[in-house]
Amino acid sequence: MLQVVQVEKYYKKNKAVDGISFEVKAGEIFGLIGANGAGKSTTISMIATILKPDRGDILFEGTSIIKKPSVIRKDLGYVPQEIALYTTLTGLDNLLFWGNAYHVPKEKLSLRIKEISDMIGFDEGILKQKVSTYSGGMKRRLNIGAALLHQPKLVVLDEPTVGIDIVARNQILDAILKLKEMGITVIYCGHYMEEVEKICDRICMLHNGKVIDICNKEELLTNKEINLENRYLQKIGQANL
Ligand code: ATP
C-alpha cells in the first residue's frame, strides 16, 4: 500500500531522516518505534504530506505522493501528537468542524459522527459537553475520531497514548485494533514497547534517522527469550558500534 524509498530529510544541516526504506502492507498495523529524536515524527509528517523529503520517494498505491500529494490526502487519516481540538467547543461541534474540513458530504456526516462516536465510546451526553471538560484520554479518543470521519484507508497515529492513564490507553489500543478489523491500514508511531508489541503486525525500528530493524509479530512470539525491548536495545547497540 505504501512504500518509503531511500528517504532523506534535513532541518538545515541536521539530517533527521537518513535514507530510510520500508513498506506498509494493506490491512496491517505497522509500528514505527525509536527514542526521542529518532526521526519518527519527521517520517510520518512526510507520509502525511506535511513535509517534503529532500531525497527519495514515497509511493501510495504505486503513485508518488511527492509528485502528487492529492493521491494520499483523501485516503489518509492523520492523528498528530498534539491534540487538534477546539476546547471551547463541544465534542460534537469539533466532529462537525473536522467533518467539513475533510469534505464529508453533509448528508453523510451525521451517520459518520454516530459511527465514530460508537467506536470511540462517546454517547450523546459526552458529545454535548465542551472539550475543556474532557479527560486527557477522552481528548485523545476524540482526536482519533476526528481523523476517521472521511473513512480513510490509511490511518497514521503519532504517539496517541502519551500522557494518559492505563485505562484510557487500553481503550485507545482497542480502538486501533477495531480499525484493523474494519480493514483499515494503520501506522502506529510510539515508544511504549509493550503497546507496540501488543498491537502491531510488523515493527520498524528507527535510530538516528536510520532503519535499524524490521521484524514481525511471529518472530517475536517464536523467540520468547527476547522481547521487543531487548531486541531494540540489542539493535541500537549494534548500530552504535
Ligand atoms: P519524539 O519521540 O521526541 O517526537 P521523533 O522520533 O519523532 O522524536 P523527530 O521529531 O522526527 O523524532 O526528530 C528527528 C530529528 O530532527 C531530531 O534531531 C530533532 O531534533 C530534529 N527536528 C525535528 N523537528 C525539527 C524542526 N522543526 N526543526 C529542526 N529540527 C527538528
Side-chain angles (χ1 to χ4, degrees), residues 27 54 121 123 147 190 199:
D54 294 307
D123 61 24
I199 67 164

Side-chain angles (χ1 to χ4, degrees), residues 18 43 50 57-58 60 74 76 102 115 144 163 171 190 192:
D18 189 1
T43 301
I50 295 162
D57 207 349
I58 302 175
F60 178 67
K74 67 176 171 35
L76 178 83
Y102 279 119
E115 288 169 351
I144 295 173
Q171 285 168 337
Y192 296 126

Side-chain angles (χ1 to χ4, degrees), residues 17 32 43 48 87 107 117 134 178 238:
V17 169
L32 206 53
T43 301
T87 53
E107 63 281 7
S117 306
Y134 290 179
K178 266 190 222 162
Q238 288 163 4

Side-chain angles (χ1 to χ4, degrees), residues 104-111:
V104 178
K106 275 206 170 60
E107 63 281 7
K108 274 197 185 164
L109 190 51
S110 312
L111 178 63

Side-chain angles (χ1 to χ4, degrees), residues 121-140:
F122 274 35
D123 61 24
E124 266 182 47
I126 297 176
L127 280 176
K128 282 183 187 153
Q129 288 168 26
K130 282 192 178 165
V131 170
S132 54
T133 66
Y134 290 179
S135 67
M138 288 163 78
K139 284 182 194 152
R140 291 235 166 243

Side-chain angles (χ1 to χ4, degrees), residues 118-121 173-183:
D118 289 346
M119 193 192 150
I120 61 172
L173 297 182
D174 286 345
I176 295 170
L177 289 168
K178 266 190 222 162
L179 294 178
K180 178 181 150 100
E181 277 169 28
M182 291 156 71

Side-chain angles (χ1 to χ4, degrees), residues 11 14 16 35-42 81 159 191:
Y11 294 105
N14 177 16
N36 291 335
K40 306 180 297 293
S41 296
T42 304
Q81 216 172 80
E159 305 197 14
H191 51 217

